[in-house]
Amino acid sequence: SFTFASEPESTIYYNMTGSSANEANVPAEQSIANNLGQNGDFGYATVENGSFTLEHATAYLWFNTTTTIDNATLKTITINADGVNIAGKATWSGSSFGAVSEGKSEVTLTVNQPLSSTNGNVWAMVVLPADLSDKNIKVTYELSIGGNTKYHIQTLNGKNIEARKTQKIS
């Protein structure tokens, strides 16, 4: 929450990727080297009586990935949303996102970090909100183990990826 000494009623946007203030641009290729803003995080607020509270409008997938395999490096995590756009450009209408242009149903997060058997392996991905309740979501983990590339695929049944919320995927 923020307060201005004097500010007329207006809308404020938190947007580091859109081409206009009220356009979110969630890229299909993300990296943990970026902050969430560069990965498409988008927020808005309405100033009333000099005060406002910033609300995030995008959604977040939080991965807590562990392994018992020695010397494993997690290269990428890819989410496939079964044909539903979870990345692309979307304009904020004041209460929700409109149609998505340049939409993608798959988002890849580049990690390139070693994995351990503890819960200290946590990474976040920004996505557009989407009701995937009747979909199968495929999560593909690309690993490097002893110089070889291996894949682990996880299928999640039905998730509603809501704005302002974080879905934890272990």
Side-chain angles (χ1 to χ4, degrees), residues 59-159:
Y60 314 93
L61 302 178
W62 180 41
F63 300 92
N64 184 355
T65 308
T66 61
T67 187
T68 57
I69 300 170
D70 290 334
N71 300 317
T73 297
L74 180 61
K75 293 170 78 176
T76 63
I77 302 170
T78 301
I79 293 287
N80 185 305
D82 197 13
V84 176
N85 291 328
I86 57 173
K89 294 180 181 181
T91 301
W92 182 251
S93 70
S95 61
S96 64
F97 287 112
V100 179
S101 65
E102 301 175 30
K104 301 285 184 194
S105 63
E106 190 170 275
V107 177
T108 298
L109 179 66
T110 299
V111 178
N112 286 327
Q113 288 194 350
L115 284 176
S116 69
S117 59
T118 67
N119 288 333
N121 308 302
V122 178
W123 301 283
M125 175 188 289
V126 179
V127 294
L128 291 170
D131 187 355
L132 304 172
S133 298
D134 62 346
K135 302 286 185 178
N136 288 321
I137 304 159
K138 185 170 84 172
V139 184
T140 303
Y141 302 89
E142 180 186 6
L143 303 158
S144 176
I145 304 167
N148 296 313
T149 299
K150 304 283 185 183
Y151 297 91
H152 174 76
I153 297 173
Q154 176 184 18
T155 301
L156 307 172
N157 297 317
K159 295 271 186 197

Side-chain angles (χ1 to χ4, degrees), residues 23-35:
E23 178 187 78
N25 183 8
V26 177
E29 299 290 329
Q30 299 180 20
S31 173
I32 65 164
N34 295 338
N35 62 45

